[in-house]
Amino acid sequence: MSTRHILLGLLAGGPSHGYDLKRRHDERFPQARPLAYGQVYTTLQRLVRDGLAAIDGTDSDGGPERTLYRSTDDGSRELARWAGEIAPPAPFVTNEIFAKVVVSILASADPAGYLRAQRLAHMDRMRELTAVKTAPGADLATVLSADYALNHLDADLRWMNTTAARLIPLTAEVDAT
């Protein structure tokens, strides 16, 4: 996910302070890793440097001085360009779970046991996400974010079941090379 573009998107609604941008990011993308304040302010400085955002003033409201940022016309165009780009499917499939299965075979470990344990971890996470999305008052962004993660976890589970069913021929193939 592009932090710079997410911040430009949040600025599209009007000028904001870095603190407010961080809070809105974390609210709108509840299943994403929360942004660190340092990341927000560093990204805002780069957006200003690149002409995609500008400082719209400062205020203190009785507290520390806070800088107000706004998107520029160039920032709006950059955001529109990025939002319209089709996200390409990953050119290479790098899967840590598959790598661990192969390494388990190479190390004469227990790939079937590893897959069982990994399935349990996935199922635990799926239960957590289901609780999040079905919680009273869950907003649509939270539900959709949880659905996205659940679909990916479900695909992993189906792959693990297929791989578990093919461990004998996979082991023979790995051992032969």
Side-chain angles (χ1 to χ4, degrees):
M1 185 165 58
S2 169
T3 302
R4 78 189 262 131
H5 291 103
I6 296 300
L7 291 180
L8 281 172
L10 293 171
L11 286 172
S16 292
H17 300 103
Y19 175 84
D20 294 329
L21 291 168
K22 185 253 189 290
R23 182 185 49 75
R24 287 187 10 236
H25 168 276
D26 295 350
E27 287 171 357
R28 297 206 191 281
F29 303 100
Q31 299 302 316
R33 181 177 307 162
L35 288 180
Y37 287 106
Q39 182 180 14
V40 171
Y41 289 106
T42 300
T43 303
L44 285 168
Q45 289 170 354
R46 288 183 184 137
L47 289 170
V48 169
R49 176 198 69 199
D50 296 343
L52 302 175
I55 294 175
D56 206 40
T58 57
D59 63 43
S60 63
D61 288 333
E65 188 173 276
R66 298 187 320 166
T67 303
L68 194 63
Y69 296 89
R70 67 172 171 76
S71 181
T72 63
D73 290 341
D74 285 345
S76 296
R77 282 190 290 277
E78 171 61 19
L79 179 62
R81 183 202 60 73
W82 175 79
E85 273 182 0
I86 300 300
F92 303 102
V93 179
T94 55
N95 182 322
E96 183 176 355
I97 299 168
F98 177 65
K100 288 182 177 184
V101 168
V102 171
V103 168
S104 291
I105 293 168
L106 290 169
S108 299
D110 182 13
Y114 167 74
L115 285 171
R116 281 192 300 277
Q118 188 63 57
R119 280 193 298 252
L120 289 174
H122 269 56
M123 291 169 63
D124 285 346
R125 182 63 178 140
M126 290 175 85
R127 280 189 284 279
E128 291 170 7
L129 288 166
T130 299
V132 164
K133 77 178 231 169
T134 59
D139 59 66
L140 186 55
T142 297
V143 170
L144 291 173
S145 181
D147 281 341
Y148 183 84
L150 283 163
N151 280 298
H152 282 267
L153 291 167
D154 182 61
D156 283 351
L157 281 175
R158 286 183 279 122
W159 178 87
M160 285 184 255
N161 289 335
T162 300
T163 301
R166 295 176 176 166
L167 273 178
I168 292 172
L170 177 62
T171 299
E173 187 177 296
V174 169
D175 286 343
T177 53

